[in-house]
Structures are given as structure tokens and as C-alpha cells.
Amino acid sequence: MFYFLKTKGFCTCLEELRASLSAVYDVTIGYKYRCPSFLDNVFGLDPSEVHIHVRRFPLDLFPVSEDEIASWLMDRFQCKDQLLSRGQFPNQVSERDLSDMNIVWNCMMVIMLTSTCFFYIFTSVWFKLYVTLACAYLGTATFFHVRPQPIPGFLKNFFTCHLSKT
């Protein structure tokens, strides 16, 4: 099969994100009979079987030049076509069934957690205050594009600043 890939976007992303990435994941999704259409999704028709193949490529294995990256990407798409034409992915594992006891336990935990939250929402003044303040904070932070610093980073900066002053 002949590919008309625009590899420039992938190369640019790889170049810009190289310092913050450790690997690139290649995901191939195959459907047993046919790929579901948009109308299948609209009407909620699920595919009979879905197979997902994931491969991890460490970033230090990637070439640096744009032409070599483009060639690697073309090779990946050829491998994807070969995988899909075989109809079965390598090292395929079937989904394990959950025991009936695990299903009952999970359902009971969800029901208990939901019931507890609803109970506190309708009875506790402190819980209502907490939810109100959390919503107000999140709404304000979203509106003003505030990105709070994670707590470990905040503490590190706080102690570094105070230790350098003394």
C-alpha cells in the first residue's frame, strides 16, 4: 500500500517534546468484522470484538534527523497494515472474566459510596460548605486560567525561599 503521510507534524512534536517524553506509544485498534461507522456510534451499536495492540518505543531509540523519523513512521504504518491484514495481533491475550463475587462486591462499594455522599450532601452543613467553596474555587480558577502549583513543588519553593533568607 502506498502512503501519503504528512510526517512533518510528528517530527515537530517529537522535536519539541523530546525533553519531556520518555517514550512514544504506538496503538493499533482492530475490529473483528468492520470498523464501526459514525451512525453505528450514534445508535449505540457496539462492535462485536475489538483488539488493541500497544507498543512502547523508548525515545532514545529514535533517530534525530527528520528524514529518518519520517522513514521510521512509514515503516510503522506498514507494520500496522500487516498486523491488521493477519486478523490477529501477536501475543494476544483474552480478557479474563470477573467472578460473580467481585462483581457483587464492586457494585456494593459503588452503592455505599454514592449513598454516603448523598447523605452528607443533604444533611451536613460542613459538607455543603466544602462543596460550595470547592466549586467556587474551581470555577474562579477556570475562569481566570489559574494553574495552581502542586503541593510538593510549592513546599520546595517555600522552604528554599525561607532558607535562603536566613
Side-chain angles (χ1 to χ4, degrees):
M1 189 177 280
F2 190 74
Y3 300 96
F4 288 106
L5 288 178
K6 295 189 175 187
T7 57
K8 182 75 173 167
F10 180 76
C11 293
T12 304
C13 288
L14 197 59
E15 180 182 318
E16 291 296 320
L17 297 173
R18 193 176 283 273
S20 61
L21 292 178
S22 62
V24 172
Y25 289 88
D26 175 23
V27 179
T28 306
I29 301 174
Y31 299 94
K32 185 167 185 170
Y33 298 114
R34 65 179 179 83
C35 181
S37 68
F38 176 73
L39 287 178
D40 290 340
N41 291 328
V42 169
F43 293 120
L45 299 174
D46 296 329
S48 62
E49 219 173 280
V50 178
H51 299 271
I52 301 173
H53 183 259
V54 180
R55 287 194 60 194
R56 181 181 190 274
F57 293 96
L59 209 58
D60 46 342
L61 296 180
F62 273 86
V64 179
S65 77
E66 190 172 320
D67 291 335
E68 291 173 333
I69 293 173
S71 175
W72 178 87
L73 193 59
M74 299 288 267
D75 291 341
R76 288 303 322 138
F77 274 95
Q78 288 175 350
C79 289
K80 285 175 175 284
D81 273 349
Q82 289 173 357
L83 278 175
L84 291 172
S85 67
R86 279 192 228 137
Q88 187 173 5
F89 295 144
N91 303 327
Q92 191 165 325
V93 179
S94 64
E95 183 179 346
R96 66 179 175 90
D97 292 329
L98 288 175
S99 68
D100 291 338
M101 195 60 200
N102 281 346
I103 293 171
V104 170
W105 175 252
N106 288 338
C107 286
M108 292 302 296
M109 290 304 294
V110 168
I111 290 170
M112 286 177 15
L113 183 63
T114 306
S115 301
T116 304
C117 286
F118 271 109
F119 172 77
Y120 282 122
I121 286 172
F122 292 116
T123 60
S124 172
V125 173
W126 295 110
F127 193 77
K128 290 177 186 176
L129 182 65
Y130 167 75
V131 170
T132 304
L133 290 175
C135 289
Y137 169 73
L138 291 174
T140 307
T142 303
F143 182 77
F144 291 111
H145 302 289
V146 174
R147 301 289 180 253
Q149 190 176 25
I151 292 174
F154 171 77
L155 292 176
K156 179 182 173 186
N157 290 341
F158 179 76
F159 286 120
T160 305
C161 181
H162 282 288
L163 290 177
S164 66
K165 289 180 181 179
T166 59

